Amino acid sequence: MKNAYRILTFDGGGLRSIFSARLVSRILKERPDFLDKVDMIAGNSGGSIVACGLAAGYSPEEIVSFFKEDGPNIFKTSFTNKLKGFFGVLGAKYEGEPRQRVFEKYFSGKKLSTIEGKTLLLTAFDLKHNSGRWKPVSFHNYKGSPTIDYSLTDCLMASTAAPTYFPIARAGNTRYIDGGVWANNPSLAAYSEAINTWYGKQDHKNVILLNIGSIASKSMIKSKKSSLGYYDWFQNEIIDLILDSASMDSIEYYLGNIMGPNYKKLNILMDEEIKLDDFSKIDKMLSIADNLNLDDVKSWLQGFWY
C-alpha cells in the first residue's frame, strides 16, 4: 500500500507474551522483511517487553529466551514479602526489585530517545498527574514527546506494574501502574498518536495496524448473584477482568469500526485459562504459538502490509 504507516502492537499478558514473540518469529520466517516495514511498535505490560525488545534490536527468539530464562525471576517473591503483604491481601503479590534487575540486564543505558528507525510507544497509567486527576499515559519517542528522555527500564516498570501483582512504579515525580487498566490492547493509543497533529501527523486512511494478542481465555462472571459487593467482585477476579477483557475487547470494537479492514487481530481463544504469572505453562504457550494457523493473517499481510 502506497504511503502506508504500519503499526505493530502487542497486548499485555505477563508471561503469556512469550506467545506473541514466537508468533513474530514465525511471521519472519515467511516474510523476512516484515519488521523492516514497521513504522511504530507499541505494547502494554508483557507486550511492552516484546515491543521494547524488538525496538532495541533483539530478535523475536531472543525475546522468547528472555521470557523462558528471566520471566520466572520477575514473578518471584520472598517469604518476608508474603508475610508483609499477608500473602497478597494487604500488599502486592510480588516484589518490584527482581523485575527491575531483569529489565536493567537487557535495557541498561537505553532511553526512548536512543531508539532509532522506529517509533516506540508503551502504555501506563499515571496516578499522580499534575492536573490533579489520574490519567492514561503513553510513553513514546516522537519528536517533542515529554517522555522522550525516560529510560526504557522506567517505562517498563510503569507499564508492567499490574495492580495486586506488583507495587506501584515510580518515574520522575509521579507514580504509575500497568496501562492495562485502560489499554491492555495498546492499539488505540498507538493509532491516536500516529494521527495526532503534534506527533505522528499521519493521514488516518494510511494507517495499517496488526495487533498480536497473548492468548485469550473464555471468561464470565462465576457468581449467579445479581447484587455483588466488594468481596463478590474480587472473588470473581475483577482485576483480571479489567486487564484481560474490558481494556482489550472494547478497543477491538472501536478500531474495528474506525479502521475497518486496516486493523487486524492475531490471537487465539482457549477454554483453559492461563494466568499471567504461570511459568509452568511456558512450553505449552510456545506449542500453542507454533501450531496456530497463520493462513488468515498471511493473506491479510499480503493485501494490506505489502
Side-chain angles (χ1 to χ4, degrees):
M1 179 178 173
K2 188 178 179 181
N3 298 322
Y5 187 85
R6 301 170 183 86
I7 302 175
L8 177 63
T9 66
F10 298 97
D11 291 352
L15 292 176
R16 296 198 308 268
S17 291
I18 194 173
F19 165 87
S20 314
R22 176 54 64 83
L23 289 181
V24 176
S25 185
R26 287 189 60 198
I27 292 172
L28 281 175
K29 289 179 181 177
E30 300 276 343
R31 293 281 192 176
D33 61 344
F34 167 66
L35 289 176
D36 295 335
K37 293 186 174 294
V38 173
D39 297 290
M40 178 197 285
I41 304 176
N44 178 70
S45 200
S48 69
I49 299 172
V50 181
C52 267
L54 293 175
Y58 290 105
S59 71
E61 282 306 306
E62 286 175 318
I63 299 169
V64 167
S65 295
F66 167 95
F67 283 105
K68 289 186 73 173
E69 296 168 12
D70 286 299
N73 293 325
I74 291 174
F75 294 97
K76 68 188 303 183
T77 193
S78 64
F79 184 70
T80 301
N81 186 68
K82 289 181 180 179
L83 287 178
K84 282 169 59 180
F86 199 60
F87 295 87
V89 177
L90 301 178
K93 187 175 181 181
Y94 301 107
E95 296 170 274
E97 289 78 9
R99 189 161 105 263
Q100 184 160 4
R101 286 195 295 271
V102 169
F103 293 154
E104 285 290 350
K105 175 181 173 181
Y106 290 88
F107 302 107
S108 178
K110 292 183 170 63
K111 298 181 178 182
L112 284 170
S113 59
T114 64
I115 299 298
E116 298 179 346
K118 299 186 190 305
T119 298
L120 173 63
L121 181 146
L122 311 171
T123 55
F125 195 75
D126 188 342
L127 296 177
K128 194 181 175 185
H129 193 268
N130 56 21
S131 67
R133 287 183 58 85
W134 43 29
K135 283 185 177 291
V137 62
S138 295
F139 306 119
H140 59 77
N141 61 335
Y142 275 125
K143 184 178 179 180
S145 166
T147 62
I148 197 166
D149 287 322
Y150 279 34
S151 72
L152 295 191
T153 293
D154 282 350
C155 293
L156 285 169
M157 288 296 289
S159 186
T160 60
T164 74
Y165 287 93
F166 293 109
I168 293 169
R170 297 178 183 273
N173 62 349
T174 190
R175 306 194 301 165
Y176 299 97
I177 57 172
D178 193 310
V181 298
W182 72 282
N184 212 26
N185 176 346
S187 298
L188 187 57
Y191 175 80
S192 66
E193 295 293 357
I195 64 172
N196 187 307
T197 55
W198 291 100
Y199 296 124
K201 303 176 183 178
Q202 299 297 314
D203 185 328
H204 70 94
K205 296 176 184 177
N206 295 333
V207 178
I208 309 297
L209 198 156
L210 175 61
N211 169 233
I212 299 183
S214 56
I215 305 179
S217 60
K218 294 180 180 179
S219 57
M220 60 187 71
I221 296 295
K222 300 179 181 69
S223 175
K224 295 181 180 180
K225 294 167 57 179
S226 58
S227 179
L228 304 180
Y230 284 109
Y231 177 77
D232 298 307
W233 278 112
F234 275 93
Q235 279 286 96
N236 284 278
E237 299 175 318
I238 184 63
I239 298 299
D240 288 341
L241 173 67
I242 293 170
L243 294 179
D244 278 350
S245 300
S247 65
M248 285 199 289
D249 297 341
S250 59
I251 287 170
E252 290 174 33
Y253 172 80
Y254 296 142
L255 285 179
N257 286 334
I258 294 169
M259 298 184 68
N262 282 12
Y263 173 77
K264 182 67 175 176
K265 177 83 177 193
L266 174 59
N267 203 8
I268 187 172
L269 178 64
M270 298 186 61
D271 290 324
E272 178 191 1
E273 180 183 18
I274 299 177
K275 293 288 190 180
L276 61 82
D277 57 349
D278 190 353
F279 51 81
S280 71
K281 301 285 179 61
I282 281 180
D283 288 337
K284 179 171 185 175
M285 290 186 277
L286 288 174
S287 177
I288 293 168
D290 289 337
N291 289 287
L292 185 65
N293 189 319
L294 298 183
D295 289 346
D296 185 47
V297 77
K298 286 190 288 186
S299 176
W300 180 85
L301 287 170
Q302 180 61 43
F304 291 89
W305 207 258
Y306 290 90

